[in-house]
Amino acid sequence: MKNLTTNQSRVNDKTRLLLKFNYTSSLLSLLFGFFCFYPMGITKIIPHVFIGYFVLNLINVMAFKNHKNLIRMALITSGLSLVSTLVITLFSGGINSPFIFVLAIIVLAGYISTSVFGKIYFNVIVILILGIYCLPYANFKFIYNAIPNTSEALFSLLSILFSVYLLGAIFGRNLLKAHHKLYKSKAEIEQRINEKETLLREVHHRVKNNLQTVSSLLSLQARNTKSKQFRKLIKSSQNRVISMAMIHEMLYMHDNISKIEYKSYVKELGNYLIRSLKGSDSQVQLHLDITNVELGIDTAVPLGLLINEAITNSLKYGFEEGVPGQIFVSLKQEEANNYVLTIGDNGIGFQEDVDLTTNKSLGLKLIHKLARQLAGSVIKDTSKKGTHYVIKFKDISQQFKTVAA
């Protein structure tokens, strides 16, 4: 509804400008025609063209009030202006005629109707000007200068005033108004964008705080239970919550609030998990091979949970206590919104006959389900020492944009 109102407003502005141009140019043409008769003493061709333009253009305006077709009126106006200006120019000195500058105003009038017609008028008028320049070499005897020598200066003065008035009083003023409107609209849009960004940062900040509160509650619950197995389960859930909180923290702390620079996120998440599960003096090292990948929140959250599960499994089951180890994470973009995540360790590994889709381990189930959520697949790479996964997935936030477009 808003777009329809905006488009209607633009049409109304164009209509007012074109009508103003028609009325003004017609009146000026009538006055110019009378001035040609007296005091300039021009009796051939030129004053008749001015008066003819006045009559035909008024008929064009009256017809517009019936058919309401703005483009038709604009085309007729431009056509009348072009023919009249061309004839007056040819019979007032050709390429040396001061009236030739009105052709530039016709180009501007064409662009006001539509950019397509503006380009057409531009090309046509450039060709006509070149033709006018070449006419003396063609020796057309029926074309002559109808301006008496004594009236050339006055005709030049009136032609320049005619051009300047049309350009300044009609187009200049309206273009200034249009520029002011655009500037005002741009300022309003920028203000709305800043307000929405501020609101969105606040939302991400509050979500992150709420997730940290949930993490603290889980930690408190873990300290109040005697079951070691239950504490491990709570710790795993706490790490999943923190992996999501980190994403929202990065979104409100960085300039880009729609995408996450994923290398820094994986580095922060991986180091946190190593400290959390193996202690600050752990000999497990994290190796990253991630290009400049930026992902939207719809992809970043499930992918972050997937990486959390894979690294957690490596830290829990891949390395014996006190033994050095390495965890590898590689993330690369293949084409469009397709990505490949390779994640693994050089630990002891597990049986080759383990099926990700049927295994009862919650971590493996989550890896498989999260990959499916990202429209991807999980393959276990058995060619390397330890446990390695190859996950192919899509940036689903980009898919949403494509569907919406």
Side-chain angles (χ1 to χ4, degrees):
M1 188 68 182
K2 188 176 181 180
N3 290 335
L4 290 174
T5 305
T6 303
N7 291 335
Q8 186 61 43
S9 176
R10 290 174 181 171
V11 171
N12 292 338
D13 289 342
K14 282 186 177 181
T15 303
R16 283 192 294 269
L17 178 57
L18 195 54
L19 286 173
K20 188 174 182 180
F21 172 79
N22 282 346
Y23 287 130
T24 305
S25 62
S26 297
L27 180 60
L28 290 177
S29 294
L30 180 63
L31 294 174
F32 210 144
F34 285 135
F35 270 104
C36 286
F37 285 117
Y38 182 81
M40 288 187 286
I42 306 170
T43 58
K44 295 181 180 179
I45 305 295
I46 293 176
H48 303 289
V49 173
F50 275 121
I51 295 172
Y53 175 84
F54 164 75
V55 173
L56 293 175
N57 208 23
L58 284 184
I59 294 173
N60 178 32
V61 173
M62 296 301 119
F64 169 73
K65 293 183 178 180
N66 292 324
H67 60 67
K68 301 295 182 182
N69 190 323
L70 180 62
I71 294 179
R72 186 191 301 177
M73 181 180 70
L75 287 173
I76 294 173
T77 300
S78 299
L80 286 173
S81 302
L82 179 58
V83 172
S84 301
T85 304
L86 182 61
V87 173
I88 293 170
T89 300
L90 289 173
F91 287 89
S92 61
I95 197 68
N96 296 314
S97 171
F99 206 77
I100 198 171
F101 294 105
V102 179
L103 291 172
I105 300 175
I106 297 172
V107 174
L108 186 58
Y111 274 110
I112 287 174
S113 57
T114 64
S115 61
V116 174
F117 291 128
K119 291 176 182 177
I120 292 173
Y121 291 137
F122 171 79
N123 293 319
V124 169
I125 287 174
V126 167
I127 294 171
L128 288 175
I129 290 173
L130 293 174
I132 293 170
Y133 174 80
C134 297
L135 274 179
Y137 303 101
N139 195 24
F140 288 115
K141 294 183 179 180
F142 64 88
I143 296 176
Y144 56 90
N145 191 346
I147 310 296
N149 293 335
T150 56
S151 301
E152 285 183 352
L154 182 56
F155 182 83
S156 297
L157 174 64
L158 292 177
S159 297
I160 293 170
L161 291 175
F162 184 89
S163 304
V164 169
Y165 186 82
L166 287 178
L167 190 61
I170 307 299
F171 294 113
R173 186 184 302 170
N174 284 278
L175 288 173
L176 188 62
K177 287 181 180 178
H179 175 75
H180 178 71
K181 283 184 179 179
L182 287 174
Y183 181 81
K184 186 177 179 181
S185 298
K186 181 184 176 184
E188 290 175 353
I189 291 170
E190 287 179 348
Q191 183 181 356
R192 291 195 198 103
I193 290 173
N194 290 333
E195 289 173 355
K196 288 180 179 179
E197 284 187 355
T198 302
L199 179 61
L200 197 54
R201 289 182 191 278
E202 181 65 23
V203 169
H204 286 303
H205 183 61
R206 287 176 182 268
V207 171
K208 173 247 183 184
N209 287 344
N210 289 338
L211 289 172
Q212 284 188 331
T213 300
V214 173
S215 174
S216 299
L217 291 172
L218 290 172
S219 179
L220 183 63
Q221 183 67 51
R223 287 198 296 268
N224 289 335
T225 183
K226 296 180 180 179
S227 171
K228 187 176 181 180
Q229 185 66 25
F230 189 60
R231 282 200 300 269
K232 287 183 178 180
L233 291 174
I234 291 178
K235 185 64 176 177
S236 297
S237 298
Q238 185 182 4
N239 289 341
R240 292 178 187 120
V241 171
I242 290 175
S243 72
M244 292 187 289
M246 285 181 180
I247 289 175
H248 290 280
E249 183 178 23
M250 293 185 73
L251 283 172
Y252 81 78
M253 289 186 65
H254 291 77
D255 293 335
N256 192 342
I257 60 173
S258 61
K259 287 184 176 291
I260 296 169
E261 199 282 303
Y262 224 68
K263 182 176 182 178
S264 57
Y265 167 72
V266 175
K267 182 178 180 180
E268 185 177 347
L269 176 61
N271 288 331
Y272 164 76
L273 291 173
I274 291 171
R275 291 194 306 271
S276 175
L277 297 173
K278 291 294 185 180
S280 56
D281 58 347
S282 171
Q283 299 184 56
V284 177
Q285 296 179 335
L286 179 66
H287 298 277
L288 301 180
D289 180 18
I290 300 177
T291 54
N292 296 325
V293 174
E294 292 186 343
L295 298 172
I297 189 169
D298 294 318
T299 302
V301 170
L303 186 64
L305 288 170
L306 189 153
I307 294 172
N308 173 80
E309 297 303 322
I311 293 178
T312 299
N313 282 352
S314 293
L315 292 170
K316 281 184 176 180
Y317 312 114
F319 308 111
E320 295 180 358
E321 201 65 35
V323 177
Q326 294 179 329
I327 294 176
F328 309 94
V329 182
S330 171
L331 178 59
K332 297 185 182 297
Q333 185 174 5
E334 283 191 324
E335 56 182 20
N337 63 328
N338 295 317
Y339 295 83
V340 176
L341 170 68
T342 305
I343 185 166
D345 59 66
N346 64 343
I348 59 176
F350 53 83
Q351 295 88 347
E352 295 183 6
D353 58 348
V354 172
D355 189 346
L356 294 176
T357 60
T358 59
N359 193 275
K360 293 183 179 180
S361 168
L362 177 60
L364 294 178
K365 283 183 178 179
L366 281 174
I367 290 173
H368 177 70
K369 290 184 179 296
L370 290 167
R372 289 182 60 186
Q373 184 178 335
L374 294 169
S377 60
V378 184
I379 301 173
K380 182 185 172 187
D381 185 0
T382 58
S383 63
K384 299 176 183 177
K385 181 180 181 296
T387 302
H388 294 268
Y389 306 103
V390 178
I391 299 105
K392 294 185 177 182
F393 68 95
K394 297 179 182 293
D395 185 357
I396 56 177
S397 59
Q398 291 296 324
Q399 285 186 309
F400 294 153
K401 286 181 182 179
T402 303
V403 171

